[in-house]
Amino acid sequence: GPNGAGKSTLSAVVMGKPGYTVTAGSVTLDGTDVLAMPAWQRAAAGLHLVMQYPTEVPGVSLVDMLSEALATRGRPSDELPALLRHEASRIGFEERFLHRPLNVDLSGGEKKRNETLQLAVLRPKIAILDELDSGLDIDALRDCSRRVEEMSNDSSAGEPLGVLAITHYARLLTELRPDHVHILVRGRIVARGGAELADLLEVEGYAAFVPEEELAEPPVPARPGSLDELFAL
């Protein structure tokens, strides 16, 4: 979907970010009401968000964070260092970054590789990728999307990873091939189909599915008594 469609809002609501009120609908995971859980329980139950803008956490190492996350899930962390090195090599994430505080002094592409690394280690049931392709160069996009594609087809440790991939562009879907495509505009799904829908979207643009005036972001209303009022005239 285009800017302002509600894609990141959807991911925030599903993961339990404060500040949102759900007025209708439901979200369930294995028959359990997700909306009744605090955010940490949603993560422990198997939901995982790969953030559009990964947060830097000074003073907390990647190893310590993942050790705590595995402990919360009742999984051992004895082999975590070796697993991290293995997963890092698969996506071109330099080993020296494994010992830094979480995401501190990493480039945008390195942060996305780091997010993909965490996803591979934690092995959730459902991964929400909020614009994994944002800020990535061609190599990083290929490495990260291929690793997610592999996890979505790997049933060796149980059910394959389920993926909700949020993106503006079809380039992500070159490696991460979708089973279903939904086009979201102004909070509404205006079209749905298979991978061919993403290919059509790349050629026709969003205007082929909704009137052009609906694609424009709504104007911000002027605040009474402010300079906005003057410039709105």
Side-chain angles (χ1 to χ4, degrees), residues 36-149:
M37 302 177 183
W40 71 268
Q41 284 186 354
R42 300 183 195 199
L47 290 177
H48 184 93
L49 175 63
V50 173
M51 293 181 285
Q52 182 177 359
Y53 303 109
T55 303
E56 295 186 5
V57 188
V60 177
S61 71
L62 175 63
V63 172
D64 287 345
M65 184 276 290
L66 287 174
S67 294
E68 289 296 324
L70 291 173
T72 302
R73 291 157 175 75
R75 290 169 50 193
S77 58
D78 302 346
E79 299 180 0
L80 179 57
L83 179 59
L84 282 173
R85 290 192 297 271
H86 173 68
E87 288 294 342
S89 67
R90 296 183 69 167
I91 59 172
F93 189 63
E94 294 186 41
E95 191 172 324
R96 62 191 175 94
F97 294 144
L98 297 176
H99 307 289
R100 289 190 182 180
L102 188 61
N103 287 323
V104 173
D105 294 332
L106 298 186
S107 69
E110 289 160 352
K111 288 179 180 179
K112 293 298 179 73
R113 291 182 196 264
N114 198 359
E115 291 276 294
T116 305
L117 173 74
Q118 295 167 44
L119 173 63
V121 169
L122 293 175
R123 300 201 313 267
K125 295 178 180 178
I126 304 290
I128 303 174
L129 312 182
D130 189 6
E131 298 192 28
L132 175 67
D133 51 341
S134 177
L136 289 187
D137 60 30
I138 295 174
D139 291 335
L141 175 60
R142 182 188 62 244
D143 292 340
C144 292
S145 56
R146 281 183 180 177
R147 185 66 188 103
V148 175
E149 175 71 11

Side-chain angles (χ1 to χ4, degrees), residues 6 15-16 19 24 74 76 115-116 129 140 146 192 197 206 209 232:
M15 288 306 304
E115 291 276 294
T116 305
L129 312 182
R146 281 183 180 177
R192 63 187 75 200
L197 181 57
Y206 295 112
F209 301 92

Side-chain angles (χ1 to χ4, degrees), residues 168-189:
H168 289 298
Y169 310 106
R171 64 177 187 172
L172 173 68
L173 309 180
T174 302
E175 300 288 350
L176 185 60
R177 297 303 293 170
D179 299 300
H180 307 282
V181 172
H182 304 268
I183 299 178
L184 187 70
V185 177
R186 293 286 185 91
R188 295 183 296 112
I189 294 177

Side-chain angles (χ1 to χ4, degrees), residues 151-214:
M151 287 185 277
S152 74
N153 291 294
D154 181 9
S155 57
S156 60
E159 288 293 319
L161 175 70
V163 179
L164 172 61
I166 297 171
T167 184
H168 289 298
Y169 310 106
R171 64 177 187 172
L172 173 68
L173 309 180
T174 302
E175 300 288 350
L176 185 60
R177 297 303 293 170
D179 299 300
H180 307 282
V181 172
H182 304 268
I183 299 178
L184 187 70
V185 177
R186 293 286 185 91
R188 295 183 296 112
I189 294 177
V190 298
R192 63 187 75 200
E196 73 283 349
L197 181 57
D199 297 331
L200 177 63
L201 184 63
E202 191 75 359
V203 176
E204 301 290 340
Y206 295 112
F209 301 92
V210 291
E212 189 171 349
E213 60 269 17
E214 286 195 32

